[in-house]
């Protein structure tokens, strides 16, 4: 099952250029994820020249019985209404690359037909049998991963020993706890090598998340500051200003910790806290992330606050007595030389008063404050992941004027202002391109997934068993007041009188 070492080779043994034939198969093509994220990402890669039309073909596969044109019509609106105003000619050419195959997810007939359609395109484009490349994107619920992977393995694999490859992209959630995640990993791992499995977490594809390694290890002045001697606490925050909006039944199975904290925010924590890797090779980076997770101490229930917004249970798909949290603040503590004693405050919630995701590194107070300015707030380094991507440092400066007083201001790198005319790619574009290139740096490795679930499974089981109950909070608020109290108890100092204003162009 090992992939050929010529994953991205464009030349034959005679050093004569040969046409690469790439087939991208989106399973679950009629679902929301495929329409809203996967197909638009593929279109943007196509429009930027990363998916040459003479080398690539795209297949949609799902149970719904529709024609090629019907699928094209369904995804057309999501492509043309997306971020760029692409020429209609480009849209038409892209849609002509898309074909549809209907079939079930657990029967041979559908996958045999899919393989036949893929081979038909490969035969017309590839100069050598077995040199083609097949990328299967599972935009599906995890419950069908095992059956789908069995069908792919049995009927749709490429002959990778002849220079081609087969890769499988799987979406979160990867299980609901440690046991279910390990079972799922074992089922998929029996069919594919780890080098063929790409567990996608789209947060790892975000521009500012990918900037973390550069920020930390390419700037000298941060190196001596990034430790327990200077940093008081770190907050990693995800806030949405809307509720479950029709997804209540699905969300209620998982809750905010499984949906956001255990994966997205924990991955960000790894990049904030990891040691410098030996190199930028994917395995060296992922090794350091695993070490961070292994250093996390068991979660203390007294450092957890759960919330559920008022009206959540009004959704007819949500049980009347649901205990599922729509908000959570969880403090993680790392037992290692760099971070001993520094709380990592992970906070996520729905139906709050704002929409944003950010990393907030709060430094300790200056000893011997001769300016008496501590009440104005501490130095902070903030990385705003979304929206309005930015990095800014809060610092104390002299207030302009004749009086000698101080005020908080910022050193600001706002991407929209600094990089005018540069389009920041969507996370899915970057990660799909990484998959094509065989770069697993921004994907979750199996041992990494296992340790992540080890951290949260005991807490999740206590919540599932009704041992911990969420506090009610009003939609449009900051969440439960108890969460702010917990952050303050952990050492976070709220800044009064300062608001970051996104610069105008």
């Amino acid at each position: 099952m090992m992939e050929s070492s010529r994953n991205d080779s464009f030349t034959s043994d005679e050093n004569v250029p040969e046409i690469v034939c790439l087939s991208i198969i989106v399973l679950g093509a009629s679902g929301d994820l495929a329409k809203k994220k996967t197909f638009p990402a593929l279109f943007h890669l196509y429009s930027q020249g990363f998916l040459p039309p003479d080398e690539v073909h795209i297949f949609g596969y799902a149970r719904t019985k529709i024609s090629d044109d019907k699928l094209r019509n369904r995804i057309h609106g999501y492509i043309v209404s997306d971020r760029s105003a692409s020429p209609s000619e480009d849209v038409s050419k892209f849609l002509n690359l898309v074909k549809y195959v209907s079939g079930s997810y657990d029967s041979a007939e559908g996958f045999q037909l899919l393989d036949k359609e893929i081979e038909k395109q490969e035969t017309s484009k590839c100069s050598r049998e077995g040199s083609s490349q097949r990328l299967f994107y599972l935009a599906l619920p995890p419950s069908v991963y095992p059956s789908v992977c069995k069908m792919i393995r049995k009927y749709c694999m490429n002959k990778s020993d002849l220079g081609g490859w087969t890769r499988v992209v799987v979406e979160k959630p990867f299980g609901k706890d440690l046991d279910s995640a390990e079972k799922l990993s074992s089922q998929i791992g029996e069919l594919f090598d780890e080098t063929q499995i790409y567990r996608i977490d789209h947060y790892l594809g975000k521009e500012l998340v990918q900037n973390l390694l550069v920020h930390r290890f390419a700037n000298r002045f941060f190196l001596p500051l990034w430790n327990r001697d200077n940093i008081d606490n770190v907050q990693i925050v995800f806030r949405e200003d809307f509720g479950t909006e029709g997804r209540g039944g699905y969300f209620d199975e998982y809750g905010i910790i499984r949906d956001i904290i255990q994966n997205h925010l924990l991955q960000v924590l790894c990049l904030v806290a990891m040691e410098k890797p030996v190199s930028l090779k994917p395995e060296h980076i992922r090794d350091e992330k695993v070490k961070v997770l292994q250093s996390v101490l068991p979660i203390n229930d007294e450092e957890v606050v759960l919330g559920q917004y008022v009206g959540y249970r009004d959704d007819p798909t949500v049980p009347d007595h649901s205990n599922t949290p729509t908000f959570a603040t969880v403090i993680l503590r790392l037992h290692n030389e760099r971070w001993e004693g520094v709380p990592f405050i992970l906070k996520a919630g729905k139906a709050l008063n704002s929409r944003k995701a950010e990393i907030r590194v709060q430094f300790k107070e200056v000893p011997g404050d001769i300016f008496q300015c501590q009440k104005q707030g501490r130095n902070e380094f903030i990385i705003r992941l979304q929206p309005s991507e930015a990095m800014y440092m809060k610092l104390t400066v002299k207030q302009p004027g004749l009086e000698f007083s101080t005020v908080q201001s910022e050193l600001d790198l706002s991407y929209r202002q600094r990089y005018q005319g540069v389009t920041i790619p969507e996370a899915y574009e970057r990660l799909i391109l990484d998959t094509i290139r065989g770069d697993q740096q921004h994907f979750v490795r199996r041992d990494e997934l296992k340790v992540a679930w080890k951290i949260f499974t005991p807490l999740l089981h206590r919540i599932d068993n009704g041992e911990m109950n969420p506090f009610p909070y009003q939609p449009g608020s900051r969440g439960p007041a108890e969460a702010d109290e917990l952050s303050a108890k952990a050492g976070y100092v709220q800044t009064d009188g300062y608001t970051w204003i996104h610069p105008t162009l």
Side-chain angles (χ1 to χ4, degrees):
M1 292 189 292
M2 289 296 292
E3 292 186 13
S4 164
S5 61
R6 300 174 61 217
N7 283 346
D8 297 296
S9 175
F10 282 77
T11 60
S12 67
D13 294 338
E14 293 77 22
N15 294 321
V16 177
E18 68 177 32
I19 295 177
V20 171
C21 183
L22 171 63
S23 297
I24 300 174
I25 303 96
V26 181
L27 297 110
S30 60
D32 278 353
L33 175 62
K35 290 185 295 186
K36 295 177 180 178
K37 296 294 183 181
T38 314
F39 282 114
L42 291 173
F43 171 67
H44 287 132
L45 290 175
Y46 167 82
S47 63
Q48 295 172 73
F50 290 106
L51 301 179
D54 58 340
E55 298 178 3
V56 176
H57 215 85
I58 301 168
F59 297 87
Y61 184 93
R63 290 182 294 226
T64 310
K65 295 185 181 301
I66 56 175
S67 64
D68 293 350
D69 287 339
K70 186 74 171 177
L71 175 64
R72 292 165 183 163
N73 289 336
R74 286 189 178 188
I75 65 179
H76 180 274
Y78 293 98
I79 291 172
V80 298
S81 65
D82 210 64
R83 69 167 190 243
S84 58
S86 300
S88 58
E89 183 180 352
D90 285 353
V91 175
S92 298
K93 287 181 178 179
F94 171 77
L95 291 174
N96 284 334
L97 296 176
V98 179
K99 289 191 174 296
Y100 183 76
V101 177
S102 175
S104 69
Y105 295 126
D106 57 1
S107 72
E109 184 180 357
F111 283 88
Q112 287 173 329
L113 177 60
L114 176 61
D115 184 62
K116 184 178 178 181
E117 291 296 323
I118 297 172
E119 281 189 346
K120 189 186 300 182
Q121 296 300 321
E122 290 175 346
T123 302
S124 67
K125 291 184 177 181
C126 289
S127 58
R128 198 166 57 132
E129 182 185 6
S131 65
S132 60
Q133 304 165 348
R134 297 185 178 187
L135 190 164
F136 292 87
Y137 193 110
L138 276 58
L140 296 164
S143 58
V144 299
Y145 286 174
S147 61
V148 168
C149 287
K150 285 178 183 177
M151 294 296 107
I152 294 171
R153 179 67 198 164
K154 190 169 184 179
Y155 299 108
C156 297
M157 292 289 288
N158 182 43
K159 301 179 182 67
S160 59
D161 59 329
L162 297 179
W165 48 253
T166 301
R167 294 172 186 154
V168 179
V169 178
V170 291
E171 279 275 356
K172 78 170 186 73
F174 313 116
K176 294 186 69 175
D177 57 13
L178 177 59
D179 289 343
S180 60
E182 274 293 278
K183 181 180 179 181
L184 188 58
S185 291
S186 296
Q187 290 171 324
I188 299 175
E190 290 172 356
L191 301 166
F192 302 104
D193 290 320
E194 187 66 21
T195 56
Q196 297 174 295
I197 303 168
Y198 289 70
R199 300 175 189 86
I200 193 170
D201 185 327
H202 76 271
Y203 255 59
L204 292 177
K206 288 185 176 294
E207 181 71 31
L208 271 294
V209 173
Q210 296 211 333
N211 203 4
L212 273 170
L213 290 186
V214 180
H215 149 71
R216 285 200 52 203
F217 302 121
N219 295 288
R220 179 63 184 257
F221 69 90
F222 275 116
L223 296 179
L225 296 178
W226 212 258
N227 54 51
R228 62 192 298 269
D229 296 329
N230 299 288
I231 293 174
D232 188 273
N233 60 82
V234 179
Q235 284 200 64
I236 305 173
V237 178
F238 172 92
R239 304 168 67 89
E240 286 184 334
D241 55 3
F242 54 88
T244 53
E245 295 191 343
R247 293 177 63 247
Y250 168 82
F251 181 86
D252 200 71
E253 292 184 39
Y254 295 95
I256 198 70
I257 295 177
R258 288 184 175 98
D259 194 38
I260 301 296
I261 295 179
Q262 184 273 338
N263 37 70
H264 298 332
L265 302 195
L266 193 61
Q267 285 295 318
V268 173
L269 181 151
C270 288
L271 295 172
V272 171
M274 65 184 272
E275 296 298 321
K276 187 176 183 178
V278 175
S279 76
L280 290 177
K281 291 181 179 179
E283 293 314 305
H284 290 158
I285 292 172
R286 300 201 291 183
D287 286 345
E288 295 302 331
K289 289 168 64 184
V290 171
K291 290 177 186 177
V292 171
L293 296 175
Q294 290 171 334
S295 74
V296 176
L297 296 171
I299 296 171
N300 182 350
D301 287 356
E302 293 183 358
E303 294 192 314
V304 178
V305 169
L306 307 176
Q308 186 185 90
Y309 67 83
V310 175
Y312 168 72
R313 298 182 206 172
D314 294 343
D315 186 324
T317 62
V318 174
D320 292 339
H321 302 288
S322 171
N323 193 49
T324 300
T326 61
F327 175 99
T329 295
V330 181
I331 296 177
L332 298 186
R333 297 184 180 273
L334 278 56
H335 181 54
N336 61 31
E337 183 178 7
R338 182 181 293 272
W339 297 113
E340 187 81 36
V342 178
F344 283 77
I345 305 167
L346 308 188
K347 184 182 298 185
K350 290 183 172 290
L352 299 176
N353 59 348
S354 64
R355 172 182 173 265
K356 68 178 178 180
E358 69 178 21
I359 306 160
R360 184 174 294 266
V361 180
Q362 188 170 83
F363 291 88
K364 293 183 176 180
E365 292 167 347
V366 176
D369 176 23
I370 61 174
F371 297 103
Q372 299 182 347
C373 58
Q374 287 186 358
K375 63 181 181 296
Q376 292 174 344
R378 295 170 169 172
N379 295 144
E380 292 182 342
F381 181 68
I382 296 95
I383 302 174
R384 181 178 282 253
L385 307 179
Q386 66 179 35
S388 303
E389 293 90 344
M391 293 190 292
Y392 60 99
M393 174 76 82
K394 287 170 57 177
L395 70 168
T396 301
V397 299
K398 177 186 174 297
Q399 176 80 50
L402 296 176
E403 298 296 329
F404 200 89
S405 57
T406 59
V407 66
Q408 274 218 326
S409 188
E410 71 277 325
L411 298 176
D412 192 334
L413 169 60
S414 292
Y415 272 51
R416 193 179 302 169
Q417 183 185 48
R418 176 65 179 83
Y419 302 111
Q420 296 181 34
V422 176
T423 301
I424 296 177
E426 290 289 337
Y428 283 93
E429 295 172 46
R430 196 189 309 271
L431 296 175
I432 290 173
L433 186 59
D434 283 348
T435 306
I436 295 169
R437 291 172 169 172
D439 184 352
Q440 291 186 304
Q441 174 181 332
H442 304 115
F443 295 83
V444 182
R445 201 168 64 188
R446 180 174 176 175
D447 58 339
E448 187 180 347
L449 177 66
K450 181 177 181 178
V451 183
W453 276 118
K454 268 187 176 180
I455 294 168
F456 281 97
T457 291
L459 171 65
L460 290 167
H461 284 178
R462 291 193 290 274
I463 296 171
D464 294 342
N465 294 334
E467 298 172 29
M468 301 180 69
N469 295 306
F471 293 100
Y473 65 94
Q474 290 297 323
S477 68
R478 286 179 50 85
E482 290 81 358
D484 288 337
E485 294 168 7
L486 176 62
S487 296
K489 186 177 178 182
Y492 174 69
V493 176
Q494 180 76 33
T495 300
D496 295 322
Y498 170 88
T499 302
W500 178 73
I501 300 174
H502 189 271
T504 56
L505 298 180

